[in-house]
Amino acid sequence: MSRHARLKDPQSEESQFQLRLLIAFGFMVLMLLLLAARFVWLQVLQYDHFSTLAQNNSISLVPVQPNRGLILDRNGIVLAQNHAAYTLELIPDKIADLDATVKALGTLVEITPRDERRFRKFLAESKEFEPVPLKLKLKEDEAARLAANIWRYPGVEVRAWLFRDYPYKELTSHVLGYIGRINQNDQKRMEEDGTLANYRGATHIGKLGLEATYETELHGQNGFEEVETDAGGRAVRSLRRTPPVHGNNLQLALDIRMQEIADKLFGMRRGALVAINPQTGGVLAFVSKPGFDPNLFIDGIDAATWKNLNDDWQKPLVNRALRGLYPPGSTFKPFFAMAGLEAGALNPNELRPAPGYFTLPGSSHQFRDSVPSGHGMVNLAKAIAVSSDTYFYRLAWEMGIDRIHPLVAQFGLGSKTGIDLDSEASGVLPSKEWKAKRFAKARPEVGRWYPADVVSVGIGQGFNAYTPLQMANATAILANDGKVFKPHLVQKIVDARSNKEKLIDPQPLRALAFKPQHFATVKEGMRAVLQPGGTAFRISGGLTYSMAGKTGTAQVVQIKQGAKYNAGALAEQYRDHSWFISFAPVEHPTIAIAVIVENAGFGATSAAPIARAVTDFALTGKVPAELEGQLLTMPATKKPDQGARDASAAR
């Protein structure tokens, strides 16, 4: 190779290097131009679009709902519980075509007409930015299909919720009540009382019964979670979480086993039973027949079911124990007797005539006794035992309503008891002032008090009208020698955080200033009701404890003078009511009961056997033979153990 060629090679290599450098530089300039163009496109031409997306891609403060507290009976049996399930929800303001979205979702899961009707109802009651449930309690396969396809539908979510459940349905409906969806009235009320913030994200609230009365205890406190969301509103990641405080549990004084026994003994008959521990005021049983299934109201009751419940002539939605007003019939006599003794209007040992009828001076109208031949000469105890009407007719006329009213009122008749349930009825213990006010818009003579008015009051008829709860409470006061406790269903509240128990203090509200011997006299008469010659002697067979009671048969319609009562000739709803009140053991009463069976006739026939069976269970653990193997609340083949019997007896 020549020397010239060797010198030329370095020059060629340098030229090639410069060319490559130029090409690289040009490529870099091109890339920079492309980046600049992209920058202009994103930052200038598409500014508005991406600015909106950036604002939507933000941190949201999401409320975390607490678990609602449980409700248990006195033995720890769960009466109201929670269970988890998935719900398909739509957020209206994030959906362009709501109808099309609902139709499309119908291809993934079954959307029934009832689901759509409920969705439209909730939609009308909700704000556009609030999730509205379309389908509740999804099955696992439905939730899986939706989860796999939900990215196709902005504004559609599948969320896990805790749903309320009442396992004993009708058996506890009038005690527990139910929860329902929060409506505009609820929101307005919460705004007024300052609790709305604690219900952010919540969908349900207590509507009736203990669920409503103890809403503050059961609901708990909201938690919060800071969540980063994308432009579609879906969570990207959780940043921080403040856990909720779950609701407190309620443990009742009520015994669900006793409740079920009483309920089944009613069968298909209408009425109510209330059992109270006179020593504490704790309500052991609270039955209203018929009941309803509270689970129907949780998800939003449909119009057809609501109409059926309201149109039913048996009125299952009416809480008869709390709001049913009935004339007490002869169960009023023990309290009237206490008033007569305290007023000095009678001597308990004095024999008085008890003929077949009573007439007011100067009147021919006969106030008849239930026994046409009368009872001869009776003292107070026998008058109670045989339920002489004419004895108490005469006593009422001699005393007058002005002396009767203030003394009987001390037993709580005609007043709310203050039980821990809303909407309790007051009842009517009549007086001259009450009648004048009641008939203020009528002719003057209608509102005037007449001597005949007080005669009917003396045997629990006329204007008398009380709830079964009031009768049970009055019986408990009498049984407890005048010590008054406020009836209560909740026995203790269990704190969700500390698990500490807050007991309902069973301190007496007051004590009646009646003479002890007067209580003893009336109790003697009530005890004789279950002895030979007494109106409830037939239920006393096999008693292993002492029991006192009083039968009552309350007229629903007035029988014409001279006519005889014939139940078979009357429509069922016009027949007499069957009443019975009782307490046991007489020496130290731990259970006082009031029972009414609507349109069932004599108290000894229908109401008294129910009270006897419930008292047997409370004091001995004995289950009625006809109910063996039928009760849901205890094993069919196992009787309560000795510990359960001792606990019951201690009540």
Side-chain angles (χ1 to χ4, degrees):
M1 181 179 292
S2 66
R3 184 171 179 270
H4 177 75
R6 287 197 303 269
L7 292 174
K8 187 177 181 180
D9 287 340
Q11 294 177 354
S12 175
E13 289 177 0
E14 184 178 354
S15 298
Q16 291 178 1
F17 173 76
Q18 290 178 350
L19 179 62
R20 286 196 299 268
L21 187 63
L22 183 62
I23 293 172
F25 178 76
F27 179 77
M28 290 176 61
V29 171
L30 179 62
M31 291 298 101
L32 288 171
L33 290 174
L34 289 174
L35 285 173
R38 183 62 176 168
F39 178 82
V40 172
W41 169 258
L42 293 175
Q43 296 292 324
V44 180
L45 301 178
Q46 293 294 310
Y47 173 80
D48 292 338
H49 173 69
F50 287 103
S51 175
T52 302
L53 290 180
Q55 290 173 4
N56 288 334
N57 189 11
S58 60
I59 296 174
S60 298
L61 199 61
V62 179
V64 180
Q65 292 302 304
N67 293 348
R68 193 170 182 86
L70 306 179
I71 303 178
L72 308 93
D73 89 328
R74 68 182 301 114
N75 299 305
I77 298 174
V78 178
L79 309 180
Q81 60 191 2
N82 308 307
H83 67 91
Y86 289 103
T87 296
L88 173 60
E89 297 183 351
L90 280 62
I91 305 175
D93 71 343
K94 292 186 178 181
I95 300 174
D97 190 334
L98 198 60
D99 292 335
T101 300
V102 171
K103 185 176 180 180
L105 292 171
T107 63
L108 299 175
V109 296
E110 181 186 10
I111 308 295
T112 66
R114 183 175 184 271
D115 291 332
E116 285 212 45
R117 288 195 301 270
R118 182 174 53 209
F119 172 71
R120 299 297 174 185
K121 178 178 180 293
F122 292 160
L123 186 65
E125 297 172 350
S126 304
K127 298 176 181 178
E128 288 189 352
F129 57 84
E130 294 178 337
V132 180
L134 176 59
K135 186 174 179 62
L136 304 168
K137 300 177 184 176
L138 296 167
K139 299 176 183 177
E140 289 187 8
D141 60 322
E142 291 177 326
R145 281 199 303 274
L146 286 168
N149 292 276
I150 202 168
W151 61 273
R152 302 173 184 272
Y153 307 103
V156 176
E157 296 180 350
V158 174
R159 299 178 65 187
W161 284 101
L162 284 178
F163 288 86
R164 200 65 158 171
D165 177 61
Y166 305 103
Y168 295 106
K169 300 180 181 179
E170 291 87 350
L171 190 58
T172 57
S173 57
H174 289 293
V175 176
L176 305 183
Y178 54 84
I179 65 170
R181 285 192 66 85
I182 295 173
N183 57 33
Q184 293 177 352
N185 290 333
D186 296 323
Q187 290 180 339
K188 182 178 179 181
R189 185 180 66 254
M190 288 188 288
E191 285 178 357
E192 292 173 352
D193 59 26
T195 60
L196 186 60
N198 194 38
Y199 284 82
R200 280 191 58 196
T203 57
H204 289 71
I205 194 172
K207 297 283 189 176
L208 192 70
L210 293 177
E211 290 279 25
T213 306
Y214 288 89
E215 170 63 26
T216 303
E217 297 285 352
L218 291 166
H219 177 71
Q221 295 290 325
N222 269 6
F224 293 94
E225 187 173 13
E226 289 185 6
V227 177
E228 184 178 351
T229 59
D230 61 18
R234 295 182 177 86
V236 176
R237 58 174 174 154
S238 176
L239 302 177
R240 190 176 64 175
R241 192 174 191 272
T242 302
V245 177
H246 299 314
N248 297 331
N249 295 339
L250 305 182
Q251 186 155 12
L252 310 187
L254 183 140
D255 187 330
I256 190 62
R257 302 167 304 170
M258 189 187 302
Q259 181 92 350
E260 187 179 15
I261 287 171
D263 181 89
K264 286 191 179 298
L265 289 171
F266 270 91
M268 299 302 294
R269 298 174 297 182
R270 303 174 312 284
L273 176 146
V274 179
I276 296 175
N277 184 341
Q279 307 301 322
T280 65
V283 177
L284 307 175
F286 191 92
V287 176
S288 178
K289 290 281 289 183
F292 60 92
D293 184 356
N295 294 299
L296 295 171
F297 291 84
I298 297 173
D299 301 335
I301 191 168
D302 62 273
T305 304
W306 174 250
K307 185 177 186 301
N308 289 337
L309 287 172
N310 279 279
D311 292 348
D312 190 336
W313 73 275
Q314 298 187 93
K315 303 299 181 186
L317 294 178
V318 174
N319 190 333
R320 286 167 162 81
L322 187 73
R323 295 192 53 77
L325 293 175
Y326 306 90
S330 293
T331 58
F332 181 77
K333 291 173 181 175
F335 311 106
F336 178 32
M338 288 295 301
L341 289 168
E342 197 66 24
L346 57 83
N347 183 326
N349 298 317
E350 178 188 358
L351 293 175
R352 291 188 168 207
Y357 64 88
F358 169 77
T359 57
L360 288 168
S363 172
S364 61
H365 181 84
Q366 295 182 353
F367 293 90
R368 291 174 292 177
D369 195 277
S370 57
V371 177
S373 60
H375 300 278
M377 301 296 290
V378 300
N379 61 12
L380 176 59
K382 185 176 180 180
I384 293 174
V386 300
S387 200
S388 170
D389 290 335
T390 52
Y391 182 97
F392 289 97
Y393 284 145
R394 181 178 295 277
L395 178 61
W397 176 68
E398 291 173 352
M399 287 186 64
I401 197 65
D402 290 338
R403 287 206 291 172
I404 295 172
H405 182 274
L407 291 168
V408 173
Q410 294 187 49
F411 288 92
L413 296 176
S415 302
K416 294 181 180 181
T417 67
I419 192 172
D420 44 354
L421 289 175
D422 291 335
S423 304
E424 180 184 1
S426 297
V428 177
L429 175 60
S431 65
K432 291 178 181 177
E433 293 75 19
W434 172 86
K435 188 178 181 184
K437 184 177 180 180
R438 170 65 179 80
F439 299 102
K441 295 183 179 180
R443 301 188 308 275
E445 58 270 23
V446 176
R448 191 176 304 140
W449 189 267
Y450 296 96
D453 291 336
V454 76
V455 175
S456 297
V457 168
I459 64 162
Q461 292 289 161
F463 298 117
N464 280 303
Y466 311 116
T467 67
L469 171 61
Q470 285 179 339
M471 293 302 297
N473 184 51
T475 304
I477 295 171
L478 178 59
N480 207 21
D481 292 336
K483 287 184 181 178
V484 181
F485 290 86
K486 184 167 72 172
H488 56 273
L489 284 156
V490 175
Q491 184 170 261
K492 58 186 176 182
I493 301 170
V494 183
D495 188 273
R497 284 175 287 192
S498 65
N499 213 34
K500 290 183 178 179
E501 298 177 349
K502 175 186 175 184
L503 296 175
I504 302 300
D505 191 9
Q507 292 296 320
L509 299 175
R510 64 183 189 279
L512 305 190
F514 287 32
K515 293 182 175 63
Q517 61 267 31
H518 294 163
F519 285 105
T521 298
V522 172
K523 286 183 178 183
E524 178 188 350
M526 294 181 71
R527 191 166 187 167
V529 169
L530 280 81
Q531 296 172 352
T535 55
F537 174 61
R538 70 178 69 182
I539 71 161
S540 64
L543 270 178
T544 59
Y545 51 85
S546 58
M547 184 175 182
K550 183 69 192 79
T551 55
T553 306
Q555 286 185 346
V556 176
V557 294
Q558 189 173 4
I559 305 301
K560 292 182 180 179
Q561 186 77 173
K564 291 185 178 181
Y565 174 76
N566 181 3
L570 295 171
E572 181 181 348
Q573 60 266 39
Y574 300 126
R575 298 172 189 169
D576 293 347
H577 296 318
S578 176
W579 271 104
F580 191 71
I581 60 173
S582 64
F583 56 88
V586 176
E587 300 77 20
H588 184 72
T590 54
I591 182 168
I593 296 178
V595 187
I596 182 170
V597 185
E598 291 184 7
N599 313 118
F602 295 117
T605 303
S606 299
I610 297 176
R612 165 66 195 276
V614 171
T615 306
D616 276 351
F617 178 78
L619 300 184
T620 71
K622 178 184 176 183
V623 175
E626 64 270 29
L627 298 183
E628 286 284 0
Q630 297 184 34
L631 301 178
L632 299 173
T633 55
M634 63 177 65
T637 58
K638 181 182 177 182
K639 295 183 180 180
D641 58 24
Q642 186 62 46
R645 290 196 293 272
D646 291 344
S648 297
R651 294 195 291 269

